[in-house]
Amino acid sequence: MRKQIWGDEMQQLDFNQRPILVFWETTRACLLACKHCRAEAEPDAAPGELSAEEGLAFVRSLVKFGRPYPVLILTGGDVLMRPDVFDLVVEARSLGIPVGLAPSVTPRLSAQSIQRMTDLGVKIASISLDGATPMTHEGVRGVAHHFADTLDALKLMVSSGINVQVNTAVMADNVRELPGVVRLLKDIGVRIWEVFFLVPVGRGKQDQSLSPSEAESVAHFLYDASGYGLTVRTVEGPFFRRVAQWRTEAGMVPGTDPQLVTETFHLDSLYGKLTGQMQEILGTPGLPQAQTTGTRDGKGIIFVAQDGTVYPAGFLPIPLGNIRNQQLADIYRDDPLLQSIRSAQFSGRCGTCEFRDICGGSRARAYAVSGDPLGEDPACVYAGAIAVS
């Protein structure tokens, strides 16, 4: 959703002045009951949701960031549960604000709604695929037949010309199916894959998180997966950028012998199993397309909840203000916590790490585990022990 979609100018943003992405949780209403849901969504809208008028006013306020305007990502819950969602898109596009949608796969994601997105100039749409088999994906999503419906929706969106991003939450239950997910994305023609490393908030407190060594192995696997025509990036897994830099500096591009990578970077057996399986399925990869822009919670990213409360990110539940009585641009630029996050004023290993700018650790996970949003990320294994010459 960065350079290949929004243009080179987005790569040159001063993150102290404006974010790349503004996520707006337009509603918490959703017909699904996903077991890792941050919003703990319910079938009906939650009290206090921004009204149609307030929503339009909020969209208009984004021009105060100045050009290039941040990308507005309309999410939920299920964004299609909000009756005025396309009015919001029309308003944003009339102002020159790029828009992306993150709908749920339900009957509301129909051929008609997808065509409406295309007609209105929606730049990108993202939907979730959390396994390579019906049992795994539907175990996460909580709806029978949802796997087939998701694949059908992806195919329809790709054929409609929408830039489609697939979001996958990696967890203990599905980590061994990641190579199969890559194959599905390749077969369908999806070009962007965003992988979310769980943070114990909302329903995600039913902990399915990977161990630090497993997370490291998955990060190396994702670097290899980016050699199959996928732009790969991560959410709450910024250590992926460190891994991508290491692998590039070492010349260990996708296709390097997995055993050599394992030995060089002291990985556990999960890496070899995942990458070996992927190479068996898809053959030799090409050049990597790992997305390494140094954003993190509160740096290049900001989140607005359904009631207007502003947070550094959707998984970092520290309220910073409310757009009902403050401008988002002022909150983003002036909040002391966000300023500390952007200047990498961290403690623990993250505070001394040479990768604290391009990575900086998951601020959401640090807060969830220790109560300190500037603490170290417990999912990261790195302690300065590996030097790549």
Side-chain angles (χ1 to χ4, degrees):
M1 199 183 301
R2 311 286 205 274
K3 185 173 181 179
Q4 78 281 16
I5 301 298
W6 308 116
D8 291 344
E9 62 183 357
M10 285 296 185
Q11 301 298 300
Q12 308 302 321
L13 290 181
D14 179 357
F15 291 146
N16 288 311
Q17 293 300 309
R18 58 176 58 83
I20 289 178
L21 301 174
V22 173
F23 290 91
W24 176 21
E25 177 192 58
T26 59
T27 181
R28 288 192 174 177
C30 184
L31 300 178
L32 304 181
C34 305
K35 67 182 183 181
H36 62 271
C37 180
R38 167 204 54 77
E40 299 186 89
E42 299 289 345
D44 300 315
E49 185 175 289
L50 294 179
S51 68
E53 293 76 14
E54 288 173 320
L56 290 172
F58 170 57
V59 171
R60 296 178 191 124
S61 76
L62 298 181
V63 302
K64 294 187 180 296
F65 280 111
R67 293 184 182 273
Y69 298 140
V71 181
L72 176 62
I73 306 298
L74 301 176
T75 183
D78 177 10
V79 65
L80 296 180
M81 294 284 282
R82 186 167 170 117
D84 61 339
V85 59
F86 291 122
D87 295 335
L88 298 170
V89 173
V90 169
E91 185 67 19
R93 298 301 298 129
S94 72
L95 297 168
I97 298 171
V99 180
L101 295 183
S104 299
V105 177
T106 74
R108 290 175 180 265
L109 187 61
S110 62
Q112 291 76 20
S113 62
I114 291 172
Q115 185 60 52
R116 183 75 168 136
M117 294 178 204
T118 302
D119 293 344
L120 294 179
V122 170
K123 287 288 189 179
I124 192 166
S126 63
I127 62 177
S128 296
L129 178 65
D130 287 317
T133 64
M135 180 179 295
T136 299
H137 175 80
E138 290 164 15
V140 172
R141 295 286 149 182
V143 176
H145 310 299
H146 196 262
F147 180 76
D149 291 345
T150 297
L151 298 188
D152 288 344
L154 286 172
K155 293 171 185 176
L156 182 57
M157 292 167 76
V158 169
S159 67
S160 298
I162 293 177
N163 292 300
V164 181
Q165 172 182 303
V166 162
N167 303 328
T168 300
V170 60
M171 59 191 82
D173 282 352
N174 71 356
V175 65
R176 286 165 180 77
E177 293 188 13
L178 293 180
V181 173
V182 175
R183 177 174 60 183
L184 288 172
L185 302 190
K186 286 283 293 177
D187 290 346
I188 294 170
V190 172
R191 302 298 299 273
I192 309 170
W193 190 26
E194 187 159 278
V195 179
F196 166 55
F197 288 75
L198 288 182
V199 173
V201 297
R203 293 195 189 112
K205 291 178 182 176
Q206 304 168 28
D207 194 21
Q208 280 276 319
S209 299
L210 305 181
S211 69
S213 63
E214 290 171 331
E216 188 78 356
S217 287
V218 169
H220 279 269
F221 162 79
L222 293 176
Y223 179 79
D224 293 334
S226 76
Y228 291 98
L230 286 170
T231 296
V232 177
R233 53 179 174 263
T234 58
V235 176
E236 305 304 345
F239 39 80
F240 172 64
R241 300 171 199 146
R242 164 180 53 79
V243 166
Q245 181 170 320
W246 271 353
R247 292 285 297 272
T248 300
E249 291 174 348
M252 294 188 179
V253 296
T256 300
D257 178 13
Q259 185 60 37
L260 178 59
V261 175
T262 297
E263 293 173 354
T264 302
F265 297 102
H266 312 301
L267 304 178
D268 65 20
S269 61
L270 178 62
Y271 166 73
K273 292 175 181 176
L274 294 178
T275 293
Q277 181 183 350
M278 182 169 61
Q279 291 182 0
E280 288 178 9
I281 295 171
L282 295 173
T284 302
L287 294 176
Q289 298 184 46
Q291 210 290 322
T292 56
T293 302
T295 57
R296 54 178 164 264
D297 303 339
K299 179 187 176 184
I301 294 169
I302 198 72
F303 180 89
V304 180
Q306 54 90 30
D307 63 355
T309 304
V310 179
Y311 300 94
F315 300 94
L316 182 48
I318 299 177
L320 309 174
N322 193 293
I323 59 95
R324 281 182 158 132
N325 50 43
Q326 294 172 272
Q327 293 291 327
L328 182 63
D330 293 337
I331 295 172
Y332 179 83
R333 291 167 177 162
D334 299 338
D335 183 82
L337 174 59
L338 298 186
Q339 291 176 347
S340 294
I341 288 173
R342 291 195 291 265
S343 59
Q345 296 177 23
F346 308 133
S347 60
R349 289 177 296 133
C350 288
T352 59
C353 181
E354 66 269 35
F355 298 101
R356 62 185 175 274
D357 187 41
I358 67 165
C359 172
S362 166
R363 300 298 96 219
R365 188 177 298 105
Y367 179 72
V369 173
S370 71
D372 180 4
L374 300 176
E376 68 181 32
D377 183 352
C380 181
V381 300
Y382 184 55
I386 297 177
V388 180
S389 60

